[in-house]
């Protein structure tokens, strides 16, 4: 349904996105993961026709939208990262305006407003001024505004940033329903790995302006299928112990964490014995040891060498 | 375009304080500085020099008051000097037999106006006195007055630019100057919503909608134009009908001039916004532009009193100069349409140029 080909964007000599190629099938829910500055927002701005690419193409149903963005804009809803609402107006007034600019009038407009408000669970408080809402409620109206014209594709740019867990859960459930029950095609960017794991069928991972990996969640995890992660919880940091673990040949990666040390090992490697021996030598107090199968977070760490929220 | 335009009014209804404050400030400033009694002429204290007899001094004062431009009050010298030194008045006049002196506390713009008036009146009076000394010309004053009722020949003096002899009307100067000055704030701050929308992200929502970009701009520009235009018109009507100012009866011409001036300021605002990126920057820049333009363009005092060539040259590129020139041309000088066409055309030209450059620069910044 929607695809990009070798998208590139250069700002004042600095390349923000390079060679970004991705596709989204109709009714699919796709995640775009990456740390700050990875180029996610620039990529979705180009896909949504807000930003002209320096080179490359964006196609909707096989037709380029670069020169004629109206086809894309008609079927697209965008939920921006910021609260793009008129704070001095009520939720109802905001939705009425955004419906009007899409040509809705009269009964159709009223129906669309109430439908969108129901979707985000704000029917009861629709007449209240937006600036008096909580962060979570504002985010919900932000989504409702993008849904007024019943788009076929929705792009959500970190829609849950800075809100309470309850509102976040409400939004995630709403997006899941829209995708699974109404067949809405979703492109979802987030910092939160668990959101992407919960919502998305496929994932693209971006770093330094490039797509460095893509596939279904299982496909991505299989990158690390030959590895396992061991978390060692310690009572305090032991630099000498950490240094010794780094020198053990069968440990692929040793990373210091807040609570202790994380080890990435080849699957089936019998290295724990060596770890305990080293701990004896360094008088290390081990509180807990946990062996884990890889998560998307591990995949991300493996691919980029840094955490998603770095 | 209509939706964007109506949205701005909806937002104005929710937060009208800014626009209303400029409206109220205009009324306060004009009301306080110009007074609300059109019959009241600016008072000027005067005292007689020792060389002048009391009755001669009274004759001079009567002659000066005939012109109905100022109200000269003959007082005791000590009282006048006390008033000047204590700051109760910025100047006073010492009347001599065939000359005058101005006693100044502070050199303000009123000195130039009064000096020009006294100079003219003394020349006329001394010329008549000279004629009276000629043999057989005892009754020259009444003869001259009678002849002036139906003169044999009328001589109209005008310059190439159609500029008449300078006439000072304190009330209209303040009304026009302050109204045009405060309207700059209203228009610029109203149009600032474009910059705010770009920051808040609502602009992108509009861009992604079926509404064309030019319609979005037009909606904002039309709102700023309307609110600025209405502010100026309402203040003029208020002072004309409630405070009894006399702006004349050529309302059509005045409405046209206001429209051209408002268009020029809306366009200037667009240019300014294309050069700054944040609403906070605009809040700092707008007062500088508005006040600077008002000072140099003659909103605070008549431009005719300014002699500095550099300031006069700068004033030629400011829309407020032409707005005031056209308004005073209608209300004070009763100029013809042909004479008014020059400032009106310049305002329109200025508006078109600023609008073109402004929108172009703003669009370049978007990508």
């Amino acid at each position: 349904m929607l695809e990009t080909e070798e998208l590139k964007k250069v700002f004042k000599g600095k390349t923000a996105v390079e060679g970004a190629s991705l596709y989204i099938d109709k009714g699919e829910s796709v995640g775009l993961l990456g740390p700050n500055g990875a180029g996610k927002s620039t990529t979705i701005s180009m896909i949504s026709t807000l930003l002209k690419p320096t080179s490359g193409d964006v196609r909707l149903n096989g037709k380029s939208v670069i020169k004629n963005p109206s086809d894309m804009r008609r079927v697209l809803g965008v939920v921006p990262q910021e609260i793009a609402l008129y704070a001095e107006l009520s939720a109802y007034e905001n939705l009425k305006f955004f419906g009007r600019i899409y040509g809705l009038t009269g009964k159709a407009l009223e129906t669309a407003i109430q439908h969108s408000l129901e979707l985000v669970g704000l029917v009861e408080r629709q007449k209240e001024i937006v600036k008096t809402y909580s962060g979570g409620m504002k985010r919900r109206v932000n989504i409702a505004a993008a849904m007024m014209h019943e788009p076929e594709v929705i792009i959500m740019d970190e829609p849950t940033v800075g809100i309470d867990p309850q509102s976040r859960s409400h939004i995630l459930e709403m997006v899941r329903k829209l995708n699974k029950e109404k067949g809405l095609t979703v492109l979802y960017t987030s910092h939160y790995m668990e959101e992407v794991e919960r919502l998305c069928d496929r994932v693209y991972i971006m770093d330094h302006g490039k797509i460095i990996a893509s596939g279904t969640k299982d496909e991505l995890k299989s990158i690390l299928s030959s590895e396992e992660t061991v978390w060692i919880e310690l009572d305090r940091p032991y630099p000498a112990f950490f240094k010794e673990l780094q020198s053990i040949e069968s440990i692929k990666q040793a990373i210091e964490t807040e609570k202790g040390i994380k080890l990435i090992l080849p699957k089936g490697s019998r290295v724990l014995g060596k770890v305990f021996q080293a701990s004896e030598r360094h008088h290390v107090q081990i509180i807990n040891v946990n062996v884990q199968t890889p998560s998307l977070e591990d995949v991300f760490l493996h691919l980029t060498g840094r955490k998603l929220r770095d | 375009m209509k939706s964007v335009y109506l949205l701005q009014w909806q937002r104005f209804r929710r937060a009208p304080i800014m626009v209303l404050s400029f409206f109220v400030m205009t009324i306060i400033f004009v009301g306080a500085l110009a007074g609300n009694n059109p019959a009241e002429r600016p008072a000027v204290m005067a005292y007689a020099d020792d060389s002048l007899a009391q009755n001669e001094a009274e004759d001079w004062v009567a002659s000066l008051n005939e012109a109905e431009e100022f109200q000269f009050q003959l007082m005791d010298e000590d009282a006048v000097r006390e008033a000047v030194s204590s700051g109760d008045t910025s100047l006073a006049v010492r009347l001599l037999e065939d000359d005058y002196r101005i006693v100044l506390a502070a050199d303000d713009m009123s000195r130039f106006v009064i000096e020009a008036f006294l100079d003219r009146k003394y020349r006329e009076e001394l010329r008549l006195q000279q004629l009276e000394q000629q043999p057989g010309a005892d009754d020259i004053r009444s003869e001259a007055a009678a002849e002036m009722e139906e003169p044999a020949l009328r001589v109209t003096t005008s310059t190439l630019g159609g500029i008449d002899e300078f006439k000072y009307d304190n009330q209209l100067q303040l009304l026009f100057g302050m109204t045009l000055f405060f309207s700059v704030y209203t228009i610029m701050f109203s149009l600032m919503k474009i910059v705010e929308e770009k920051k808040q992200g609502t602009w992108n929502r509009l861009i992604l909608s079926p509404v064309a970009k030019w319609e979005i701009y037009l909606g904002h520009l039309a709102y700023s134009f309307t609110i600025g235009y209405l502010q100026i018109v309402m203040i003029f009507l208020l002072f004309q009908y409630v405070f009894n100012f006399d702006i004349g009866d050529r309302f059509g011409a005045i409405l046209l001039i206001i429209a051209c001036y408002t268009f020029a300021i809306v366009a200037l605002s667009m240019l300014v916004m294309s050069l700054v990126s944040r609403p906070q920057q605009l809040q700092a820049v707008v007062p500088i532009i508005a006040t600077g333009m008002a000072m140099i363009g003659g909103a605070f005092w008549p431009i005719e009193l300014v002699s500095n060539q550099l300031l006069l040259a700068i004033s030629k590129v400011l829309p407020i100069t032409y707005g005031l020139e056209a308004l005073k041309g209608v209300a004070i000088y009763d100029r013809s349409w042909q004479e008014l066409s020059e400032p009106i055309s310049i305002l329109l030209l200025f508006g078109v140029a600023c609008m073109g450059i402004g929108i172009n620069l703003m669009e370049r910044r978007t990508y």
Side-chain angles (χ1 to χ4, degrees), chain A residues 233-245:
Chain A
E233 196 178 334
L234 307 172
D235 65 332
R236 63 178 178 83
Y238 292 90
F241 173 58
F242 177 67
K243 207 170 177 186
E244 184 168 341
L245 292 185

Side-chain angles (χ1 to χ4, degrees), chain A residues 14-31:
Chain A
K14 196 183 169 199
T15 305
V17 173
E18 187 163 22
S21 298
L22 54 85
Y23 72 93
I24 309 167
D25 285 332
K26 192 172 170 59
E28 215 182 1
S29 178
V30 172

Side-chain angles (χ1 to χ4, degrees), chain B residues 86-102:
Chain B
S86 63
D88 290 346
T89 181
S90 62
L91 61 81
V93 179
R94 180 171 143 213
L95 302 170
L96 283 80
E97 193 182 348
D98 55 2
D99 203 354
Y100 64 89
R101 295 285 183 274
I102 289 177

Side-chain angles (χ1 to χ4, degrees), chain A residues 103-261:
Chain A
L104 297 172
T105 53
K107 211 172 175 182
L109 176 61
E110 198 57 38
T111 307
I113 295 170
Q114 294 312 322
H115 178 74
S116 297
L117 286 166
E118 273 169 33
L119 192 75
V120 296
L122 284 171
V123 175
E124 303 296 318
R125 302 184 66 177
Q126 58 180 292
K127 299 285 181 184
E128 290 175 31
I129 303 297
V130 166
K131 66 181 166 197
T132 64
Y133 283 174
S134 68
M137 287 165 73
K138 285 179 189 167
R139 290 257 165 224
R140 279 145 71 182
V141 184
N142 211 25
I143 294 171
M147 297 300 297
M148 278 297 292
H149 61 296
E150 297 190 348
E152 292 172 34
V153 183
I154 191 153
I155 295 179
M156 303 181 119
D157 190 3
E158 307 198 14
T160 59
V161 166
I163 59 172
D164 58 283
Q166 202 183 352
S167 292
R168 194 168 152 211
S169 177
H170 188 284
I171 288 173
L172 293 179
E173 187 52 29
M174 186 183 73
V175 178
R176 198 194 61 77
K177 267 189 186 170
L178 285 169
N179 174 242
K180 301 295 175 201
E181 294 173 16
K182 311 229 170 189
L184 191 72
T185 306
V186 178
L187 176 59
Y188 193 95
T189 82
S190 181
H191 270 148
Y192 301 106
M193 196 67 76
E194 62 275 19
E195 288 185 0
V196 175
E197 289 217 58
R198 183 170 159 185
L199 289 177
C200 302
D201 307 316
R202 284 192 303 115
V203 179
Y204 286 88
I205 296 178
M206 284 195 87
D207 195 26
H208 299 301
K210 291 178 182 171
I211 292 175
I212 53 172
S214 65
T216 62
K217 285 176 278 187
D218 288 338
E219 282 169 349
L220 285 174
K221 284 176 188 174
S222 72
I223 294 173
L224 299 181
S225 62
S226 57
E227 294 172 351
E228 58 190 6
T229 308
V230 177
W231 297 85
I232 303 167
E233 196 178 334
L234 307 172
D235 65 332
R236 63 178 178 83
Y238 292 90
F241 173 58
F242 177 67
K243 207 170 177 186
E244 184 168 341
L245 292 185
Q246 280 184 312
S247 67
I248 296 174
E249 212 171 282
S250 44
I251 294 176
K252 284 179 87 171
Q253 214 174 349
I255 303 151
E256 272 192 308
T257 67
E258 246 176 64
K259 290 183 176 177
I261 294 168

Side-chain angles (χ1 to χ4, degrees), chain A residues 270-309:
Chain A
R270 298 176 176 221
V271 81
L272 282 179
K274 291 179 185 171
V275 172
F276 288 122
Q277 282 166 14
S279 72
E280 282 289 313
R281 277 197 297 280
H282 293 282
H283 309 289
V284 171
Q285 179 77 40
I286 294 177
I287 295 168
N288 188 23
V289 175
N290 187 12
V291 182
Q292 265 186 358
T293 50
S295 66
L296 275 181
E297 183 86 45
D298 299 317
V299 175
F300 189 83
L301 193 64
H302 172 79
L303 292 169
T304 66
R306 53 185 171 145
K307 284 186 181 177
L308 191 57
R309 269 163 261 173

Side-chain angles (χ1 to χ4, degrees), chain B residues 160-162 322 325 337-347:
Chain B
L160 284 174
Y322 298 101
E325 184 187 324
W337 280 106
Q338 195 184 352
E339 288 170 316
L340 293 173
S341 65
E342 185 188 311
I344 288 175
S345 307
I346 293 172
L347 284 173

